[in-house]
Amino acid sequence: QVQLVQSGGGVVQTGASLTLSCAASGLTFSTYTLGWFRQTPGKGREFVAAIGWSSGPTYYTDTVKGRFTVSRDDAKNTAILQMARLTPEDTALYICAARFRGSLAAPNVKSPSDYQYWGQGTQVTVRS
């Protein structure tokens, strides 16, 4: 049984940093692309960042480039999203996801429908 268990998140002030973790079990972690999405009320899941399988390339949505860093530790079956210089616009439910191998073309990596497994989500709230 595949599980993605998230930790981190919380309430912070504008300009603060947070780190989110996503611990996976029940899968061969190194063969999965790990993605991070976020969701706000009334909106669908928005792509945030991803890192390709077997320490492949990284991808970011434009609004987080230079502020967020996605990484993975295949030995620990864990994906990390480091977030810096947070703003209220970053407030959302952040959800990690795993996608088995497949194309590393950006449109595929950024599409929620291409991911097979999802974490439970963790709330990030940034106060102004």
Side-chain angles (χ1 to χ4, degrees):
Q1 180 183 358
V2 175
Q3 283 191 308
L4 301 180
V5 178
Q6 296 181 227
S7 59
V11 180
V12 296
Q13 296 296 120
T14 296
S17 299
L18 276 177
T19 297
L20 306 183
S21 298
C22 177
S25 61
L27 49 72
T28 304
F29 189 75
S30 63
T31 63
Y32 282 77
T33 288
L34 278 301
W36 290 91
F37 295 81
R38 61 189 179 188
Q39 190 166 352
T40 54
K43 290 188 178 181
R45 287 183 180 177
E46 174 195 19
F47 172 79
V48 176
I51 183 165
W53 55 278
S54 193
S55 295
T58 56
Y59 310 77
Y60 298 95
T61 192
D62 287 345
T63 55
V64 308
K65 281 180 183 175
R67 299 189 298 123
F68 290 14
T69 303
V70 61
S71 61
R72 62 188 298 156
D73 184 338
D74 288 354
K76 296 182 178 179
N77 285 9
T78 300
I80 300 290
L81 183 67
Q82 295 175 290
M83 306 183 293
R85 303 195 304 278
L86 287 162
T87 74
E89 288 68 37
D90 295 315
T91 294
L93 180 71
Y94 283 73
I95 312 167
C96 68
R99 173 177 176 269
F100 179 67
R101 283 186 172 168
S103 170
L104 291 178
N108 299 98
V109 172
K110 295 179 179 181
S111 171
S113 62
D114 271 32
Y115 287 77
Q116 292 88 31
Y117 304 106
W118 294 85
Q120 81 277 18
T122 186
Q123 181 67 35
V124 171
T125 301
V126 185
R127 304 282 191 210
S128 58

